[in-house]
């Protein structure tokens, strides 16, 4: 991944992309599956007549995880003389028939980097809380049959907000340099059969939102008291926390920058 | 379709079912495709060990149209001694892997009929109104790129509410005995990129909601004035109205009865 500016003769574009992670191996290019990155870079090569194109993202997502508004950078040759609508619609066209499309495209401000300039990321985890399995929301929710007590979940979530060592909610595979993160938001709400968990932070550990959702579900179903989440956090031990909630309930909902790359 | 009570030795069940119409030929059993009715009656036969089972519905839906809460009746043998949870979960199990499942099941009140006892049906038509094609809502929305003026659509919709001859919005294939219907609700709202049209009536003509949506879209995009919808209604001529909106944006959202068959 490029950590600095575009190569000579290239201009950096900011893209806001939406994708359905079902059947994909996640954001990052891999040997053993189709990734969003591979689909996007292939579409970009088609757009600029076969030139190789490098992309970087504000955050990786795992296999099966969705994005409503992921932000990605793409360095495209100046010589292509592309306008913003051309980039948005041209890439979306070349991404067909995959469920990946460009919501917005803009020339990035000088010095902007999709990952390193980002101030925060937000995710929503959605639980379908009813006896009947998901139908209209198939592959986009976690199905929990047992009725969840959202007030208990909210009380438990409140103990996790702020700056903490989140080792108990960190995947073994996490490549971050340390386990300390500042959780700015962890909000649990019910809307009919849906229970949503909204999380926002400067950055997250690998599987952090899914691990938080898995533990919050144990509070909601009455297996844990809300206060037990404080004990789990203090233990700094992944083995004492709840299970990792499945990927299909997770969606990246937004990325924030000091200055909106897509304009006011 | 049975218009009277269950045969001797059978009990009538009311079912609330959710289905994703994508790839199905609609509610009604047909030679040339897989229908919700065929899937449900096959699942019921499996539940009661091979006995044939007859179903009837509050309303038919076309190919590609979805239902969040369709109400269906199913006459099952008394001898099976089934409880409500058994019917709900057993049918849902035998409906796998299809995107059809039972939300609620209850023994129907005496004399109850899914279609003839119904007082109203409600539908929601959903438009995704943005330049980028649908991704997360693929197959569940109508994609309209041109920005829609929802206030104009609301003003036009107001002219269609009430008791009218809806010939201008009636499919040629409609089998109803007459074109007069009473539209109790036709509400247009925007929520971000989504424009929803909620309709409620005792009953609807064939394609009526999709035809209303197709004409409302012409008002929203500025091709028609709101008042032109009154002219179209008065013409009683399908040829002067707008196009039939595509099926994937339509979802049956509810059916009402004098007494809720699923209890208080």
């Amino acid at each position: 991944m490029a950590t600095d500016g575009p190569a000579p003769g290239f201009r950096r574009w900011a893209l806001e992309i939406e994708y359905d992670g079902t059947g994909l191996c996640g954001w990052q290019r891999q040997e053993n599956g189709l990734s969003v990155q591979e689909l996007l870079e292939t579409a970009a090569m088609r757009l600029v007549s076969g030139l190789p194109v490098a992309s970087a993202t504000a955050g990786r997502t795992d296999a099966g995880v969705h994005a409503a508004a992921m932000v990605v950078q793409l360095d495209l040759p100046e010589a292509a003389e592309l306008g913003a609508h051309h980039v948005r619609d041209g890439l979306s066209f070349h991404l067909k028939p995959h469920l990946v499309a460009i919501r917005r495209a803009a020339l990035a401000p000088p010095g902007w980097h999709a990952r390193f300039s980002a101030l925060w990321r937000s995710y929503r985890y959605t639980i379908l809380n009813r006896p009947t399995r998901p139908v209209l929301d198939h592959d986009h929710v976690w199905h929990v049959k047992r009725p969840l007590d959202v007030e208990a979940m909210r009380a438990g979530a409140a103990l996790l907000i702020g700056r903490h060592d989140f080792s108990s909610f960190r995947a073994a595979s996490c490549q971050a340099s340390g386990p300390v993160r500042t959780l700015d938001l962890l909000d649990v709400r019910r809307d009919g059969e849906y229970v949503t968990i909204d999380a926002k932070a400067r950055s997250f550990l690998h599987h952090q939102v899914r691990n938080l959702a898995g533990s919050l579900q144990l509070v909601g179903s009455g297996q844990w008291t809300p206060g037990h989440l404080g004990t789990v956090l203090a233990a700094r031990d992944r083995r004492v926390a709840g299970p990792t909630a499945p990927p299909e309930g997770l969606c990246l909902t937004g990325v924030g920058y000091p200055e909106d790359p897509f304009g006011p």
Side-chain angles (χ1 to χ4, degrees), chain A residues 82-249:
Chain A
L82 298 163
H85 283 216
H86 193 159
V87 169
R88 182 192 70 194
D89 298 342
L91 286 175
S92 292
F93 174 81
H94 289 296
L95 281 161
K96 285 184 183 176
H98 300 285
L99 291 178
V100 183
I102 314 298
R103 291 169 55 98
R104 297 193 284 181
L107 271 177
W112 183 84
H113 189 284
R115 178 176 170 198
F116 299 112
S117 305
L119 291 182
W120 53 262
R121 284 85 175 162
S122 63
Y123 286 89
R124 170 167 284 190
Y125 197 93
T126 306
I127 295 170
L128 182 62
N129 187 35
R130 67 178 192 188
T132 303
R133 64 183 156 83
V135 173
L136 294 174
D137 296 300
H138 181 66
D139 285 334
H140 290 82
V141 292
W142 180 22
H143 182 210
V144 173
K145 293 184 184 185
R146 194 189 296 210
L148 295 174
D149 177 345
V150 169
E151 288 311 309
M153 293 170 78
R154 291 176 70 86
L159 304 175
L160 303 174
I161 293 170
R163 181 174 165 88
H164 302 288
D165 178 329
F166 281 100
S167 292
S168 296
F169 301 98
R170 181 189 195 187
S173 57
C174 184
Q175 291 168 15
S177 59
V180 176
R181 289 293 181 276
T182 301
L183 200 52
D184 297 314
L185 178 78
L186 189 64
D187 194 23
V188 186
R189 289 174 189 272
R190 175 181 290 281
D191 179 11
E193 295 174 338
Y194 296 92
V195 174
T196 55
I197 302 167
D198 283 299
K200 184 177 168 186
R202 183 170 186 97
S203 66
F204 289 92
L205 301 167
H206 193 208
H207 284 180
Q208 188 180 351
V209 180
R210 290 166 57 190
N211 289 341
L212 291 167
S215 286
L216 284 168
Q217 187 266 72
L218 292 175
V219 173
S221 64
Q223 292 169 264
W224 285 359
T225 62
H228 187 64
L229 284 184
T231 309
V232 167
L233 180 70
R236 301 178 201 175
D237 181 348
R238 177 73 194 100
R239 293 168 298 179
V240 305
T244 304
E248 60 267 26

